[in-house]
Amino acid sequence: MPAANARAIEKARDLACDVVILDLEDAVAPDAKDLARTQAVEAVKAGGFGRREVVIRVNGLDTPWGAADLAAASAARPAAILAPKVSSPADVAAYDQALTGDTRLWVMIETCAALFALDAIAASARTSRLDTFVIGTNDLAKEMRCRLTVDRAPLLGPLSLSVAAARAHGLTILDGVYNSIEDEGGLARQCAQGAEFGFDGKTLIHPKQIETANAAFSPAADEVHWAHIIVAAFDSPENASKGVLRVEGRMVERLHLAQAQRLIAVSAAIAAA
């Protein structure tokens, strides 16, 4: 949500989303930067977002607004600060040192330089508050000068490598936005693609996209059913020492048990929300 839009912020308090990102960067014109900063801070302090986490995306530290954004956002103590165009562990450290309390650090992966430092950036989570990657597909496509189609063929490598780097270091990772607000079919295809890649969710630019994204990233009923079958099979006393089972004609290993347990936990968390 552009933090310069007070009406949008108010609506965000009731949306069926997990996170509200109050944007001070790309969605805000230069002459509205100060207003956006003030309104974002006021919104965090006022609360009223229920279970939704509130994140402030600041302008880069190399811009005229970045330092003031970071200082004000850190003082407000949102759930996280989202830093744009992070390309190195040094960038992570620059944002991290300004944070206080339990505010976490999220970073945008949206530069060509970042693609060649993914592992190092993710590894910096060991010594910082970093816990989430957010893919900035628009900026990445701009830098690469590639075409940002629904299937994102030019970005398949960067997307998969970003997921792998995040998983290697225990980070959450969110897919980039889909720009065509009225193209529900294209959004559904891209959400399904993101889920197949292993993203934890998708960033969105309009409330009408939420339902489609929630459906794509929620476990299907048949998946949950099969997960329970796997767990039950391994829970049987006769299978306690077995590493691999034949369940309903399928080979199931203990790695599948871990996947099944996670899927059940995700489904339960969604049901309880």
Side-chain angles (χ1 to χ4, degrees):
M1 297 289 185
N5 187 333
R7 186 165 174 264
I9 294 175
E10 188 59 35
K11 283 187 174 182
R13 288 183 164 90
D14 297 317
L15 296 177
C17 59
D18 299 301
V19 176
V20 174
I21 299 175
L22 302 178
D23 190 23
L24 309 183
E25 198 213 11
D26 286 346
V28 178
D31 61 358
K33 296 290 189 182
D34 291 345
L35 172 64
R37 182 189 308 124
T38 298
Q39 292 190 162
V41 168
E42 290 175 349
V44 170
K45 290 181 177 179
F49 290 88
R51 64 174 179 80
R52 301 159 194 82
E53 292 187 296
V54 182
V55 175
I56 298 178
R57 179 166 75 165
V58 298
N59 285 280
L61 290 175
D62 60 347
T63 70
W65 314 282
D69 284 352
L70 187 56
S74 178
R77 296 193 177 184
I81 297 294
L82 177 55
K85 299 177 178 63
V86 166
S87 298
S88 70
D91 291 340
V92 173
Y95 289 97
D96 180 73
Q97 66 184 3
L99 302 185
T100 59
D102 57 0
T103 297
R104 307 188 309 278
L105 178 62
W106 294 14
V107 301
M108 299 288 300
I109 301 298
E110 53 187 346
T111 68
C112 292
L115 301 182
F116 294 94
L118 286 170
D119 185 66
I121 294 170
S124 65
R126 294 196 298 267
T127 56
S128 72
R129 297 163 180 262
L130 173 63
D131 76 351
T132 299
F133 273 4
V134 180
I135 304 300
T137 42
N138 283 325
D139 278 285
L140 188 55
K142 176 187 174 184
E143 280 210 2
M144 291 175 61
R145 301 178 190 172
C146 67
R147 293 181 179 176
L148 192 55
T149 58
V150 175
D151 65 4
R152 303 186 290 187
L155 296 181
L156 297 186
L159 293 175
S160 62
L161 287 172
S162 296
V163 172
R167 298 296 173 233
H169 298 283
L171 304 182
T172 297
I173 182 166
L174 303 178
D175 197 3
V177 301
Y178 186 68
N179 299 319
S180 299
I181 297 172
E182 303 301 327
D183 181 12
E184 295 181 9
L187 173 64
R189 285 168 53 195
Q190 201 168 96
C191 284
Q193 181 194 49
E196 289 172 355
F197 265 104
F199 284 100
D200 294 299
K202 190 168 182 68
T203 46
L204 309 170
I205 58 172
H206 195 279
K208 70 184 299 181
Q209 297 178 322
I210 294 174
E211 184 177 356
T212 298
N214 282 344
F217 288 93
S218 298
D222 59 340
E223 293 177 323
V224 177
H225 178 68
W226 175 242
H228 279 289
I229 291 174
I230 292 174
V231 171
F234 277 103
D235 280 347
S236 296
E238 65 271 20
N239 296 327
S241 62
K242 294 180 180 179
V244 61
L245 303 175
R246 181 172 177 172
V247 181
E248 297 187 2
R250 304 190 209 178
M251 184 194 76
V252 178
E253 301 180 66
R254 288 202 171 267
L255 67 90
H256 298 117
L257 173 61
Q259 291 174 323
Q261 290 169 330
R262 180 184 181 279
L263 189 145
I264 291 170
V266 170
S267 179
I270 291 172

